[in-house]
Amino acid sequence: MAAMLGHLCALSTSRNCEDRRITTVGSQAFLQYTLTAVLHSGGRFRMPAMMRLEIDSDGLVARIEEYFDSRVLDSLAEVS
C-alpha cells in the first residue's frame, strides 16, 4: 500500500478519503472508504478500500490490515 500511495502522490495534486464508514465488533474496527485523487492530467482517481484494526487490551492498535482491488491501479498506469 505504501508504494502505491507514493506513486499516487507523484501523479496527483490532491488526495482525500471520502465516504468513510466505521463499524466496531468486539476488539476490531472495520473502516470502509474511497480514496480519491485529482491527477496532474486533470482526471480523477477513485479506489474503494477497507481497513481492519485489531485493538489490544490496553486500547492500542495491535494489527492493521488494508485491502483494495489492485485492478483499479491499472488506470494509474495509463497516466504514468
Side-chain angles (χ1 to χ4, degrees):
M1 183 68 160
M4 186 280 302
L5 284 175
H7 186 61
L8 181 60
C9 286
L11 295 174
S12 62
T13 58
S14 65
R15 291 138 311 273
N16 194 22
C17 285
E18 298 177 355
D19 306 323
R20 290 178 274 189
R21 296 172 306 284
I22 301 173
T23 304
T24 57
V25 178
S27 62
Q28 298 183 76
F30 298 89
L31 294 77
Q32 295 173 278
Y33 58 94
T34 302
L35 176 62
T36 63
V38 177
L39 304 175
H40 291 298
S41 65
R44 300 207 180 268
F45 175 79
R46 295 179 57 80
M47 181 179 72
M50 69 89 56
M51 183 182 297
R52 184 181 72 88
L53 300 151
E54 287 182 21
I55 311 299
D56 67 17
S57 59
D58 294 324
L60 301 173
V61 174
R63 183 178 178 94
I64 298 174
E65 296 174 345
E66 192 161 22
Y67 304 93
F68 62 92
D69 183 353
S70 60
R71 290 179 295 171
V72 175
L73 300 178
D74 292 345
S75 64
L76 288 180
E78 298 169 10
V79 178
S80 301

